[in-house]
């Protein structure tokens, strides 16, 4: 560790806060004694909370807004529908349904305050809550003997679901709920952990955290380029807390993210958290466990240890049955609704270039089973034979073959790829059970032959007509980014996740980014 000399003082010592010397204490001279001494709250950089910089955006009353929206958004439309349907007691029935709706949402934790900067649970998709509402009202009607017509009653509840969806979308767009409107994070840890945390937090926009500064532990310099307001010594020191607090105050951070390591053991971390909490800062500990959603992790304590129970990915059970039902039903309805479009596209493909209307290709699906995938033909008839000639022009660093301006693509093929209409015949594969509406991209046999053990895990579920890869940039993504997205889906999928991805697909198709 370096030392600094201040021109107006004869104090010199190890550097704590950038530009200020650490005070020499008996604890800093004798680390063993420091561990055995009773911990004392830091006083070096403590300041009155009134002096702390104000947040850049004032918090918005999201929870009251959602409660009021749920009450009125379901109650008023339900009353209008029931009255128009000449149902008995429309006002009482609508008010009861609205109260039950908010009760269901409250019991399921949708109005609970989460971490600052994150939207409440009610901002997320409410389909499960709506089904629970129907079940609760069915039971209530059976007990009270209400004379409502079931079809009219269900129709009266549909507007409430639509209002909840719109309200959740509005909350996610409001300040403080978006990716960059949330928490300002000071990261503390050894250089390798700092660089990884800062890189991942600041490279993606699907979360509310932004790393604004780092406090390294030890002499190694972080390579992230993030401001370094201070540095902790390799061994515990009395000014650990004051250094971190000062760095957080200097950069208006409201959360300290700690990456544990050999130089930041459990005892030092515990003492640091004591001081930061007393200083008014929230503390979060970075886990090496990645690619797992919070819903699959359950914390527990045993023998003084903090344990994280991780539930296995969904492979069987009610959700898998529901996914199959949604896939087959959606594919059948889609084929019927899109029949006129299929006829027009088929005619355009047939007239634009010689060759068949459909392109059939062997792909690998769940458990590495091959199947024949259908697409509208977007390339010349001998495209497969000409691929070897273009191998040197491949723009993908992985086993996939991608060219931004592939000369084999026909003129109508460019339009079909831009709008993803060429993928629609895969609804036949979904109907047959080879594919799902949502899942990883189905790979070619030659791609699978080059997979390692990690990449083969992509084949643990059915491939999808759309998925995280398709809504996150498609061909603009690197191979490793594609694999990471697919593996996240394989381990964390749910029916609610599928519904969200289907909704995002519409925007991705409209945008057309990465479609070539």
């Amino acid at each position: 560790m370096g030392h600094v000399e201040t021109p107006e003082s004869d104090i010199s010592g190890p550097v704590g806060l950038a530009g200020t010397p650490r005070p020499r204490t008996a604890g800093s001279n004798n680390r063993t004694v420091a561990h055995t001494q009773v911990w004392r709250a830091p006083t070096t950089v403590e300041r009155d909370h009134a002096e702390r910089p104000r947040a850049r955006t004032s918090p918005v009353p999201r929870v009251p807004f959602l409660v009021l929206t749920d009450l009125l958004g379901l109650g008023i439309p339900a009353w209008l529908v029931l009255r128009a349907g000449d149902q008995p007691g429309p006002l009482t029935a609508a008010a009861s349904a609205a109260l039950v709706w908010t009760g269901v949402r409250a019991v399921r934790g949708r109005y609970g305050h989460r971490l600052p900067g994150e939207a409440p649970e009610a901002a997320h998709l409410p389909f499960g809550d709506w089904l629970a509402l129907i079940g609760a009202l069915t039971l209530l009607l059976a007990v009270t003997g209400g004379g409502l017509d079931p079809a009219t009653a269900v129709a009266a509840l549909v507007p409430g679901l639509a209002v909840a969806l719109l309200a959740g979308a509005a909350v996610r767009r409001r300040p403080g709920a978006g990716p960059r409107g949330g928490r300002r994070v000071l990261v503390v840890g050894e250089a390798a952990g700092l660089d990884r945390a800062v890189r991942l937090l600041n490279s993606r926009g699907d979360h509310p955290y932004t790393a604004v500064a780092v406090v390294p532990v030890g002499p190694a310099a972080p390579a992230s380029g993030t401001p370094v307001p201070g540095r902790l010594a390799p061994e515990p020191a009395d000014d650990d807390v004051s250094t971190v607090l000062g760095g957080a105050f200097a950069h208006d951070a409201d959360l300290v993210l700690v990456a544990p390591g050999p130089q930041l053991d459990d005892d030092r971390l515990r003492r640091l958290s004591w001081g930061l909490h007393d200083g008014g800062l929230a503390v979060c500990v970075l886990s090496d466990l990645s690619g797992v959603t919070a819903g699959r992790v359950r914390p527990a304590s045993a023998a003084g240890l903090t344990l994280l129970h991780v539930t296995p990915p969904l492979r069987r059970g009610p959700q898998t049955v529901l996914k199959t039902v949604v896939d087959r039903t959606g594919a059948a309805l889609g084929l019927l609704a899109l029949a006129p479009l299929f006829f027009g596209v088929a005619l355009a493909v047939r007239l634009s270039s010689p060759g068949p209307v459909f392109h059939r290709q062997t792909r690998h699906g769940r458990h590495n089973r091959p199947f024949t995938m259908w697409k509208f033909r977007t390339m010349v008839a001998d495209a497969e034979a000409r691929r070897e000639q273009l191998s040197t022009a491949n723009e993908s660093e992985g086993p996939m073959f991608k060219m931004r301006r592939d000369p084999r693509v026909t003129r109508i093929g460019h339009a079909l790829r831009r709008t993803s209409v060429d993928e629609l015949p895969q609804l036949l594969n979904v109907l047959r059970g080879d594919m799902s509406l949502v899942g990883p991209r189905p790979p070619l046999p030659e791609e699978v032959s080059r997979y390692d053990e990690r990449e083969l895990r992509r084949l643990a579920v059915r491939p999808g007509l759309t998925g995280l890869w398709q809504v996150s940039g498609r061909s603009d993504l690197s191979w490793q980014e594609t694999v990471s997205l697919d593996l996240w889906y394989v381990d964390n999928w749910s029916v609610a996740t599928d519904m969200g991805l289907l909704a995002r697909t519409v925007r991705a198709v409209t945008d057309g980014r990465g479609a070539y």
Side-chain angles (χ1 to χ4, degrees), residues 222-254:
S224 61
T226 310
V228 182
R231 181 182 296 274
L232 300 185
E235 298 294 332
D238 282 355
D239 58 343
D240 283 353
V241 174
S242 62
T243 299
V244 177
L245 278 176
F249 291 146
H251 290 273
D252 194 14
D254 60 355

Side-chain angles (χ1 to χ4, degrees), residues 263-282:
Q263 297 177 355
L264 198 57
D265 57 18
D266 57 347
D267 184 73
R268 192 179 190 185
L269 175 57
R270 182 167 56 251
R271 293 168 182 269
L272 182 61
S273 67
W274 290 343
L276 295 179
H277 284 151
D278 287 346
L281 280 178

Side-chain angles (χ1 to χ4, degrees), residues 318-330 366 430 433 436 462 493 495 498:
Q319 289 225 50
T320 58
V321 175
L322 181 58
K323 180 180 176 71
T324 301
V325 171
V326 171
D327 285 342
R328 302 291 179 87
T329 305
R366 186 172 61 170
V430 177
S436 172
R462 287 190 182 94
W493 78 269
V495 174
D498 284 359

Side-chain angles (χ1 to χ4, degrees), residues 413-434:
H414 281 293
L416 295 179
R417 289 188 172 205
R418 174 66 175 74
T419 58
S420 297
V421 171
D422 63 316
E423 309 281 356
L424 291 180
Q426 292 168 33
L427 289 171
L428 292 169
N429 295 112
V430 177
L431 191 62
R432 293 182 54 186
D434 297 326

Side-chain angles (χ1 to χ4, degrees), residues 62-394:
R62 292 188 294 271
V63 173
F65 166 77
L66 287 168
V67 172
L68 185 62
T69 301
D70 283 343
L71 278 171
L72 301 181
L74 187 134
I76 293 176
W79 171 63
L80 294 174
V81 172
L82 291 175
R83 191 179 67 168
D86 293 327
Q87 298 299 305
L91 182 59
T92 302
S96 300
L99 291 174
V100 173
W101 174 233
T102 53
V104 167
R105 302 271 273 169
V107 168
R108 292 169 68 91
R110 304 314 189 198
Y111 303 131
H113 286 282
R114 306 180 72 198
L115 291 174
E118 295 185 78
E121 285 288 345
H124 300 281
L125 297 178
F127 295 109
D129 298 343
W130 193 71
L131 294 177
L133 169 67
I134 293 178
L137 291 179
T138 301
L139 180 61
L140 182 63
L141 288 175
V143 172
T144 60
L148 294 176
D149 174 60
T152 305
V154 172
L157 301 177
V158 172
L161 175 63
V163 170
L165 285 168
L166 293 174
V171 166
R172 287 192 296 271
R173 287 194 296 266
R174 295 179 77 171
R180 298 302 176 192
R183 312 213 72 175
R184 294 174 59 82
V185 180
L186 174 74
V187 187
V188 179
E190 297 175 34
L194 291 182
D195 290 337
R196 174 175 175 267
V198 172
R199 183 181 71 254
L200 293 177
L201 289 178
N202 291 352
S203 64
R204 296 178 57 176
D206 54 355
H207 60 84
Y209 301 94
T210 303
V212 295
V214 298
V215 174
V217 179
S224 61
T226 310
V228 182
R231 181 182 296 274
L232 300 185
E235 298 294 332
D238 282 355
D239 58 343
D240 283 353
V241 174
S242 62
T243 299
V244 177
L245 278 176
F249 291 146
H251 290 273
D252 194 14
D254 60 355
L255 174 68
V256 174
L257 176 62
V258 182
Q263 297 177 355
L264 198 57
D265 57 18
D266 57 347
D267 184 73
R268 192 179 190 185
L269 175 57
R270 182 167 56 251
R271 293 168 182 269
L272 182 61
S273 67
W274 290 343
L276 295 179
H277 284 151
D278 287 346
L281 280 178
V283 178
C284 181
V285 179
L286 179 66
S287 170
D288 288 335
L289 186 66
S290 60
V292 178
T293 57
R296 292 179 54 209
V297 179
R298 179 173 59 85
S301 298
L305 302 173
T306 300
L307 311 178
L308 297 178
H309 288 269
V310 183
T311 59
L314 291 172
R315 295 291 183 264
R316 59 181 64 87
Q319 289 225 50
T320 58
V321 175
L322 181 58
K323 180 180 176 71
T324 301
V325 171
V326 171
D327 285 342
R328 302 291 179 87
T329 305
L333 294 176
L335 288 170
L336 289 174
L338 296 172
L341 175 63
F342 274 45
F343 177 78
V345 173
L347 185 62
V349 171
R350 189 68 182 87
L351 296 177
S352 63
S353 63
V357 170
F358 294 102
H359 175 62
R360 292 179 295 176
Q361 195 174 48
T362 299
R363 298 287 180 118
H364 281 231
R366 186 172 61 170
H367 305 319
N368 208 8
R369 295 194 185 106
F371 68 95
T372 301
M373 189 184 77
W374 291 70
K375 296 177 63 175
F376 282 119
R377 181 174 59 85
T378 59
M379 292 185 173
V380 294
D382 61 341
E384 292 295 331
R386 295 170 57 181
R387 175 176 169 176
E388 188 64 29
Q389 304 172 10
L390 301 171
S391 59
T392 57
N394 185 14

Side-chain angles (χ1 to χ4, degrees), residues 493-514:
W493 78 269
S494 66
V495 174
T497 301
D498 284 359
M499 296 299 102
L501 288 173
L502 287 172
R504 290 173 60 187
T505 298
V506 177
R507 184 176 64 182
V509 169
T510 304
D511 179 71
R513 184 168 60 91

Side-chain angles (χ1 to χ4, degrees), residues 453-469:
E453 182 180 2
R454 172 175 175 265
E455 293 161 346
L456 280 172
R457 188 169 174 79
R458 300 174 70 239
L459 305 178
V461 299
R462 287 190 182 94
L465 179 63
T466 186
L468 272 175
W469 179 78

